[in-house]
């Protein structure tokens, strides 16, 4: 009798319920979706967003922000273990990626005396695996795969990219390089970063921060090709560079900072810790310091490793 009643009850249950043949049909009472977890987002990861990871944002990585993780390009210019595409300061080793003001530009490449002056890396060129968009004017310029070699044993020339232009506000531009040739015979032999390059009707003029090997000076120069005479340069400021490093095998950096008003600084440093700064201000500066940047050599053989513009 008991066995008969149990069988009858089981038949009644089957009559009132459909058979679940797919686990996706299982529905948790009160969940409001058709998956097998206890949320209402329609996926099976147990959080409340609609992606397939287990955090509560809507991207596909497992951190709690709403961006996706950086995709590297396989190159690390400064050797700090952070890929160039992901590095907030790609030419200064900064494994910690410290960014005190939260502007996505690392503390290591801020202006140390005014951390709010610059806010972004506007242009970065590692010259790897080769340059793109650069134009030469004099001298010989050759890609080495991880640098651009400029050679001008008895002449001069520039290498520039109009795509790195900036407005009239605060900016910084920087180049890192190695000497590759022997002691130059040409005097003066110099390596420069060009900035605020401007063109109008075929005329060109610019500013430059220049390291002169023969004399050991760091200079701030203005150039105007309309100047009549053999020397269209105006050396606005000159200081001893303090460069006591060996000629070859040591990286050197030239960087210019402009605050957008009346303070321009040309800074030199090298791998062994030598450094110097040349200052220019006030009436010496143009009212409009916008333009683009580039490289310049005279009587030199140089591997340029990187070029950066910050704004």
């Amino acid at each position: 009798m008991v066995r008969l009643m149990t069988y009858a009850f089981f038949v009644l249950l089957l009559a009132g319920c459909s058979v679940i043949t797919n686990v996706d049909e299982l529905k948790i009472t009160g969940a409001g979706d058709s998956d097998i977890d206890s949320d209402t987002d329609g996926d099976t990861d147990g959080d409340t967003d609609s992606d397939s990871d287990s955090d509560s944002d809507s991207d596909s990585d497992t951190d709690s922000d709403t961006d996706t993780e950086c995709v590297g390009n396989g190159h690390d210019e400064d050797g700090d273990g952070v890929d160039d595409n992901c590095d907030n300061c790609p030419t200064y080793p900064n494994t910690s990626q410290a960014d005190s003001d939260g502007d996505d530009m690392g503390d290591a490449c801020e202006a140390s005396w005014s951390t709010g002056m610059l806010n972004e890396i506007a242009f970065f060129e590692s010259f790897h695996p080769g340059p793109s968009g650069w134009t030469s004017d004099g001298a010989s310029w050759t890609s080495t795969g991880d640098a651009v070699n400029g050679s001008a044993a008895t002449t001069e020339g520039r290498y520039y990219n109009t795509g790195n232009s900036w407005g009239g506000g605060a900016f910084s531009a920087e180049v890192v390089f190695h000497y590759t040739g022997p002691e130059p015979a040409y005097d003066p032999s110099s390596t420069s970063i060009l900035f605020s390059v401007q063109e109008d009707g075929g005329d060109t003029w610019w500013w430059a921060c220049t390291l002169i090997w023969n004399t050991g000076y760091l200079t701030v120069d203005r150039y105007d090709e309309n100047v009549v005479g053999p020397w269209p340069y105006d050396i606005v400021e000159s200081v001893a560079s303090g460069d006591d490093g060996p000629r070859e095998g040591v990286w050197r950096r030239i960087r210019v900072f402009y605050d957008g008003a009346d303070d321009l600084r040309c800074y030199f440093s090298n791998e062994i810790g030598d450094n110097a700064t040349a200052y220019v201000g006030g009436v010496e500066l143009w009212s409009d310091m916008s333009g683009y940047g580039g490289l310049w050599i005279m009587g030199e053989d140089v591997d340029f490793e990187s070029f950066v513009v910050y704004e």
Side-chain angles (χ1 to χ4, degrees), residues 4-257:
L4 181 60
M5 290 178 63
T6 302
Y7 176 77
F9 179 70
F10 183 67
V11 169
L12 288 173
L13 280 176
L14 288 179
C17 301
S18 60
V19 178
I20 298 172
T21 60
N22 189 323
V23 71
D24 287 339
E25 296 177 14
L26 181 62
K27 183 174 179 179
I28 306 299
T29 302
D33 60 9
S34 59
D35 56 49
I36 60 171
D37 55 25
S38 57
D39 57 39
T40 59
D41 59 15
D43 59 32
T44 60
D45 56 23
D47 57 27
T48 57
D49 56 39
S50 57
D51 57 31
S52 58
D53 59 34
S54 56
D55 57 24
S56 57
D57 58 37
S58 57
D59 58 30
S60 57
D61 56 36
T62 55
D63 55 28
S64 57
D65 56 35
T66 57
D67 58 3
T68 52
E69 293 306 301
C70 172
V71 177
N73 66 359
H75 188 255
D76 180 9
E77 181 65 30
D78 55 14
D80 62 3
V82 182
D83 190 280
D84 287 347
N85 278 6
C86 312
D87 201 328
N88 64 14
C89 195
T91 62
Y92 292 79
N94 63 330
T95 304
S96 71
Q97 298 288 285
D99 178 16
S100 298
D101 59 4
D103 61 0
D104 293 330
M105 193 174 97
D107 294 347
C109 50
E110 296 273 12
S112 60
W113 62 93
S114 179
T115 55
M117 189 175 86
L118 304 170
N119 298 299
E120 66 171 340
I121 299 172
F123 180 88
F124 169 59
E125 173 65 84
S126 69
F127 299 115
H128 172 86
S132 176
W134 289 76
T135 302
S136 62
D137 180 10
S140 173
W141 302 89
T142 307
S143 173
T144 68
D146 200 30
V148 163
N149 175 261
S151 181
T154 59
T155 184
E156 62 191 54
R158 67 178 176 131
Y159 197 59
Y160 59 94
N161 188 327
T162 58
N164 65 52
S165 61
W166 55 84
F171 70 85
S172 177
E174 167 202 288
V175 64
V176 177
F177 65 94
H178 288 78
Y179 291 122
T180 56
E183 193 81 18
Y186 196 89
D187 190 7
S189 62
S190 59
T191 304
S192 307
I193 183 170
L194 305 181
F195 59 96
S196 300
V197 183
Q198 300 179 6
E199 300 179 21
D200 183 20
D203 297 329
T204 305
W205 52 94
W206 62 69
W207 286 76
C209 283
T210 301
L211 183 64
I212 305 175
W213 174 260
N214 312 83
T215 64
Y217 277 96
L218 177 69
T219 65
V220 182
D221 318 310
R222 283 181 302 217
Y223 172 89
D224 186 343
E225 64 182 16
N226 293 314
V227 172
V228 177
W231 195 253
Y233 302 92
D234 177 16
I235 298 178
V236 181
E237 185 58 83
S238 177
V239 299
S241 68
D243 186 4
D244 291 328
R247 178 170 169 82
E248 297 185 62
V250 172
W251 62 253
R252 289 167 168 85
R253 185 192 312 267
I254 304 174
R255 184 170 176 182
V256 59
F257 298 86

